[in-house]
């Protein structure tokens, strides 16, 4: 995990609610703290509302990492990447989740709720949290952003 000891921010729209609840269980089982920025049910909602809550918490320095979900993941990623201190990386399998952490030092993992199984989403979260940043040439690239 790149941000050891921190509370993990969680955000989703209605399409990601059920997966977010599963992720909360995984985090609890791993002894990790989280802050849930919504959505809090499956009633239709708009991803920017929740992305901005997570984005503001990270941008202000109150949190340093998060996990976000929406239908394709793209809406959350686009919204969160508007924040200067956020590198949101979209992943839909374990290898991409590993690379989001190892190569991009992403501080937000974004998952596509409509296109990923619960089992694969949990594997992505675990891989993301367990993979250290490799630095080296990847740090140079991040600095170039």
């Amino acid at each position: 995990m790149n941000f050891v000891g921190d509370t993990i921010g969680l955000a989703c729209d209605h399409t990601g609610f059920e997966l977010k609840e599963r992720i909360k269980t995984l985090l609890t089982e791993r002894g990790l703290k989280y802050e849930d920025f919504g959505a809090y049910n499956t009633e239709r909602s708009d991803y920017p509302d929740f992305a901005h809550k997570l984005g503001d918490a990270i941008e202000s320095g109150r949190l340093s990492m998060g996990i976000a979900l929406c239908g394709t993941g793209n809406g959350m990623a686009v919204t969160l990447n508007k924040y200067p201190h956020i590198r949101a990386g979209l992943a839909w399998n374990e290898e991409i989740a590993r690379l989001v952490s190892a190569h991009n030092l992403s501080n937000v993992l974004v998952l596509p709720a409509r296109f990923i199984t619960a089992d694969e989403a949990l594997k992505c979260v675990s891989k993301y949290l367990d993979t250290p940043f490799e630095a080296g040439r990847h740090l140079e690239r991040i600095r170039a952003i």
Side-chain angles (χ1 to χ4, degrees), residues 18-106:
E18 291 175 3
L19 275 180
K20 182 185 61 149
E21 294 304 299
R22 298 279 302 270
I23 291 167
K24 286 163 63 172
T25 299
L26 173 70
L27 296 177
T28 299
E29 289 170 355
R30 291 177 63 130
L32 299 171
K33 297 180 287 185
Y34 60 83
E35 183 172 344
D36 187 346
F37 292 99
Y40 303 110
N41 56 51
T42 58
E43 293 179 27
R44 195 195 81 66
S45 59
D46 299 319
Y47 62 83
D49 297 339
F50 307 106
H52 287 305
K53 290 178 184 181
L54 175 59
D56 289 341
I58 293 173
E59 196 67 21
S60 72
R62 192 164 63 75
L63 297 178
S64 64
M65 70 180 306
I67 300 169
L69 305 95
C70 69
T72 66
N74 287 305
M76 281 288 190
V78 168
T79 305
L80 289 163
N81 280 320
K82 293 281 189 178
Y83 289 83
H85 296 102
I86 292 181
R87 287 175 311 284
L90 177 62
W92 55 91
N93 65 43
E94 282 183 270
E95 180 60 9
I96 294 171
R98 183 186 75 77
L99 293 171
V100 161
S101 187
H103 291 187
N104 304 119
L105 189 60
S106 291

Side-chain angles (χ1 to χ4, degrees), residues 8-11 23 27 54 65-69 108-109 111 125 128-129:
I8 299 168
L10 300 174
I23 291 167
L27 296 177
L54 175 59
M65 70 180 306
I67 300 169
L69 305 95
V108 180
L109 174 66
L111 300 171
V125 169
Y128 169 74
L129 294 174

Side-chain angles (χ1 to χ4, degrees), residues 137-145:
R137 71 183 192 275
H138 306 295
L139 183 57
E140 294 171 22
R141 292 171 181 159
I142 288 170
R143 288 180 177 149
I145 297 171

